[in-house]
């Protein structure tokens, strides 16, 4: 294999009409990479050579993808079943590659750095045991240091993160969090904060770890963090809460039973600290107001705090992901009479919602149509103000376009019903001439 490493050679020293070995006629010399320096999978120069139980050497990144991501249990070259999935670093080949890079630096080849030794399953198992022991002895300082070590490993590489997750560290960390959250929070705040920070690096959370984190004591501690002034604690707490309530709707009731859980979630939306925390807070709020077991109480609280107005102001210039989440929460609020009552009183509701149809994404369009349908379908005022406001901002034409370009079946049902509701009022209320759209075949 010839790689694109070339070195210009001077004209002097070449005989006229003759081509030197390894030199092109244009005066460029190409360098061939030795076969034993190339990974058998990618055929590229190896940066971190490792040897399998079959004796074949590969680049670590490629062979670990072959084993862990692609699910293979055999050696790519020999096709023999692997007796061990732990590759052994080949320091001899690595040093040879580094020396070769240095010798050929005139071709623009940079010396590959000495790779960090990745964490092993045995090391993860040992540190898990030590964390469990520290928890039993209530050694919060020792536990914090051990968790910090896991955090450091996780940040070093995705490979380390995968090894840590696969060997049960999430469950151990979650159990430790629950253990220390049962006692005085002020005394254990440092270890609790370190655990929560580390867990945010190991998303997505799953399995037994979510059970420990979803306990009453663990969630009470997270709400306590949400109420604190520390921005890092608030961010980490809401990120973990999002994982919990998204995986199990029953945990919503546990959260709502905690006194003062709603106010800090609203504050994260009203006074954002970072886009990630705002989005996570919106997801948690959405779960609390749409859970099958949730009551009207959380909706009333959020509405009374001014969430409807806040969401509409946010939607005016929100980016796609934030817009989708804000629309989902607004759709949940409009599922109740109390939420719709507040929405009807806001002059932005119809201009903003209609504008989002066919403008952001398919998901945003579905939520926007759902909100519009709920507002018009449940209109009880004699003057039918909702119909008038919707028609005046071009809702009828937008809905016709949506039918033309296609949408999900449920959304199509809502669109059809909305068109039937709005059509009788068009002649009296509509401000847009439908002829303006006669030749329009696609949305902007």
């Amino acid at each position: 294999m010839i790689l694109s490493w070339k070195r210009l050679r001077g004209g002097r020293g070449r005989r006229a009409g003759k081509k030197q070995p390894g030199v092109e006629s244009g005066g460029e010399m190409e360098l061939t990479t030795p076969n034993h320096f190339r990974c058998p999978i990618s055929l590229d120069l190896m940066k971190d050579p490792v040897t399998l139980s079959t004796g074949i050497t590969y680049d670590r990144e490629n062979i670990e993808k072959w084993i862990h991501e692609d699910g293979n249990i055999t050696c790519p070259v020999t096709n023999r079943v692997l007796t061990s999935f732990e590759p052994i670093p080949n320091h001899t080949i690595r040093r040879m590659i580094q020396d070769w890079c240095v010798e050929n630096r005139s071709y623009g080849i940079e010396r590959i750095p000495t790779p960090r030794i990745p964490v092993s399953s045995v090391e993860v198992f040992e540190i898990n045991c030590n964390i469990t022991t520290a928890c039993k002895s209530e050694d919060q300082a020792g536990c914090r240091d051990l968790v910090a070590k896991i955090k450091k490993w996780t940040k070093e590489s995705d490979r380390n993160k995968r090894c840590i997750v696969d060997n049960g560290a999430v469950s151990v960390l979650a159990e430790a969090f629950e253990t220390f959250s049962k006692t005085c929070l002020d005394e254990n705040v440092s270890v609790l904060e370190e655990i929560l920070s580390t867990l945010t690096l190991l998303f997505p959370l799953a399995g037994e770890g979510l059970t420990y984190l979803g306990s009453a004591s663990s969630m009470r501690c997270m709400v306590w963090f949400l109420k604190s002034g520390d921005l890092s604690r608030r961010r980490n707490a809401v990120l973990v809460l999002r994982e919990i309530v998204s995986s199990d709707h029953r945990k919503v009731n546990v959260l709502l039973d905690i006194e003062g859980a709603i106010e800090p979630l609203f504050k994260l939306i009203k006074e954002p600290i970072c886009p990630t925390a705002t989005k996570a807070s919106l997801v948690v709020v959405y779960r609390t107001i749409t859970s099958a077991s949730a009551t009207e109480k959380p909706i009333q609280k959020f509405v009374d705090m001014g969430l409807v107005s806040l969401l509409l102001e946010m939607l005016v210039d929100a980016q796609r992901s934030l817009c989708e989440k804000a629309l989902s929460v607004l759709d949940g609020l409009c599922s109740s009479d109390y939420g719709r009552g507040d929405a009807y009183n806001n002059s932005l509701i119809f201009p903003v919602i209609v504008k989002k149809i066919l403008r952001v994404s398919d998901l945003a369009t579905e939520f926007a149509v759902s909100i519009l349908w709920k507002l018009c379908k449940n209109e009880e005022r004699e003057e039918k103000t909702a119909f008038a406001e919707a028609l005046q901002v071009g809702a009828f034409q937008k809905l016709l376009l949506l039918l033309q370009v296609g949408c999900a079946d449920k959304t199509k049902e809502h669109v059809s019903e909305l068109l039937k509701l709005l059509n009788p009022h068009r002649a009296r209320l509509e401000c847009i001439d439908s002829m303006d759209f006669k030749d329009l075949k696609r949305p902007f």
Side-chain angles (χ1 to χ4, degrees):
M1 177 183 178
I2 305 293
L3 297 183
S4 57
W5 288 316
K6 300 178 180 179
R7 181 173 59 188
L8 290 174
R9 307 281 289 184
R12 189 178 60 185
R14 289 204 308 268
R15 296 180 181 178
K18 290 188 177 182
K19 186 177 178 181
Q20 293 183 358
V23 180
E24 296 179 349
S25 59
E28 292 183 348
M29 187 173 191
E30 293 185 340
L31 177 68
T32 303
T33 306
N35 287 334
H36 57 291
F37 289 171
R38 291 187 277 131
C39 175
I41 296 176
S42 67
L43 300 181
D44 291 330
L45 184 69
M46 291 186 287
K47 297 179 180 178
D48 186 6
V50 293
T51 303
L52 295 184
S53 57
T54 55
I56 307 298
T57 298
Y58 302 88
D59 193 50
R60 183 185 294 278
E61 181 180 355
N62 295 320
I63 194 59
E64 289 190 344
K65 182 181 183 299
W66 166 270
I67 296 172
H68 298 290
E69 295 184 24
D70 299 339
N72 296 297
I73 61 172
T74 58
C75 173
V77 172
T78 65
N79 206 32
R80 288 163 51 192
V81 176
L82 299 172
T83 58
S84 172
F85 296 112
E86 288 285 346
I88 302 171
N90 192 324
H91 299 296
T92 302
I93 289 291
R94 176 181 55 77
R95 283 192 291 267
M96 290 172 64
I97 292 174
Q98 288 176 327
D99 291 341
W100 179 81
C101 290
V102 171
E103 291 172 2
N104 295 279
R105 59 182 177 271
S106 59
Y107 289 88
I109 304 174
E110 296 182 0
R111 180 182 181 276
I112 61 170
T114 301
R116 292 178 179 272
I117 299 176
V119 66
S120 66
S121 300
V122 174
E123 289 176 301
V124 177
F125 176 77
E126 289 178 354
I127 203 167
N128 285 346
C129 293
N130 292 336
I131 290 174
T132 301
T133 302
C135 288
K136 290 179 179 178
S137 61
E138 299 182 356
D139 179 11
Q140 63 99 0
C143 184
R144 184 192 62 230
D145 293 341
L146 292 168
V147 174
K149 193 171 185 179
I150 290 183
K151 184 178 181 180
K152 180 184 176 183
W153 285 345
T154 304
K155 288 182 175 180
E156 285 180 356
S157 67
D158 289 337
R159 189 268 177 200
N160 281 359
K161 174 183 174 180
R162 184 170 56 245
C163 182
I164 288 167
V165 171
D166 291 346
N167 286 279
V170 170
S171 179
V172 172
L173 291 171
E175 186 178 10
F177 187 86
E178 183 190 33
T179 299
F180 286 109
S181 68
K182 291 178 179 179
T183 55
C184 181
L185 296 180
D186 288 320
E187 293 180 1
N188 297 324
V189 63
S190 61
V191 65
L192 289 167
E193 185 177 10
E194 191 68 31
I195 294 173
L196 207 60
S197 176
T198 304
L199 286 171
T200 62
L201 301 175
L202 300 174
F203 287 166
L205 305 180
E208 193 177 18
L210 285 172
T211 303
Y212 291 120
L213 293 171
S215 67
S217 62
S218 293
M219 295 183 75
R220 193 177 298 111
C221 177
M222 291 179 213
V223 171
W224 185 70
F225 276 159
L226 283 177
K227 294 178 181 179
S228 72
D230 187 278
L231 300 183
S232 178
R233 292 179 194 170
R234 293 170 62 200
R235 173 188 175 274
N236 294 335
V238 76
L239 290 178
V240 175
L241 278 175
R242 178 197 62 191
E243 294 287 304
I244 297 169
V245 298
S246 297
S247 65
D248 188 351
H249 65 85
R250 293 171 297 180
K251 300 302 180 184
V252 170
N253 287 335
V254 179
L255 177 62
L256 293 175
D257 287 339
I258 301 171
E259 185 179 355
I262 287 180
E263 290 77 8
L265 291 171
F266 175 79
K267 187 176 181 181
L268 277 173
I269 301 172
K270 185 178 181 180
E271 302 172 7
I273 57 177
C274 70
T276 304
T278 303
K279 293 173 188 177
S281 186
L282 286 169
V283 172
V284 176
V285 171
Y286 176 76
R287 297 294 179 182
T288 61
I289 63 178
T290 60
S291 174
S293 56
T295 63
E296 287 280 315
K297 189 175 180 180
I299 292 181
Q300 293 178 9
K301 282 189 174 182
F302 282 120
V303 170
D304 289 341
M305 285 187 287
L307 184 57
V308 172
S309 297
L310 183 60
L311 291 172
L312 288 171
E313 291 172 8
M314 180 187 298
L315 282 167
V316 172
D317 58 357
Q319 294 180 345
R320 174 175 173 171
S321 180
L322 188 60
C323 183
E324 291 173 345
K325 291 174 176 59
L327 284 170
S328 71
V329 174
L330 190 57
D331 183 48
L333 294 175
C334 288
S335 298
S336 73
D337 293 337
Y338 201 78
R340 286 194 300 273
D342 193 61
Y344 286 134
N345 295 326
N346 194 301
S347 59
L348 284 176
I349 184 68
F350 288 101
V352 170
I353 296 306
V354 172
K355 183 179 180 181
K356 296 305 174 184
I357 298 175
L358 294 172
R359 280 292 188 94
V360 182
S361 66
D362 291 342
L363 182 59
T365 295
E366 290 176 16
F367 281 126
V369 170
S370 177
I371 294 168
L372 191 61
W373 177 79
K374 289 173 182 176
L375 292 173
C376 293
K377 177 72 174 177
N378 296 283
E379 173 70 278
E380 297 178 352
R381 295 171 291 186
E382 293 183 3
E383 61 273 18
K384 301 299 181 184
T385 307
F387 295 164
E389 294 182 3
L391 287 167
Q392 288 168 358
V393 293
F396 198 86
Q397 285 71 27
K398 273 288 189 77
L399 295 172
L400 284 176
L401 283 173
L402 186 55
L403 282 183
Q404 185 181 18
V405 301
C407 54
D409 291 341
K410 186 66 175 178
T411 302
K412 189 178 295 184
E413 292 177 13
H414 287 164
V415 170
S416 300
E417 192 169 354
L418 277 167
L419 290 172
K420 291 178 182 178
L421 290 171
L422 295 173
N423 192 51
H425 305 274
R426 290 178 64 207
R428 180 172 57 88
L429 300 170
E430 197 167 37
C431 296
I432 298 176
D433 187 352
S434 59
M435 292 300 291
D436 293 340
F437 292 86
K438 64 178 182 179
D439 298 320
L440 192 56
K441 301 300 183 184
R442 290 289 183 269
F444 291 108

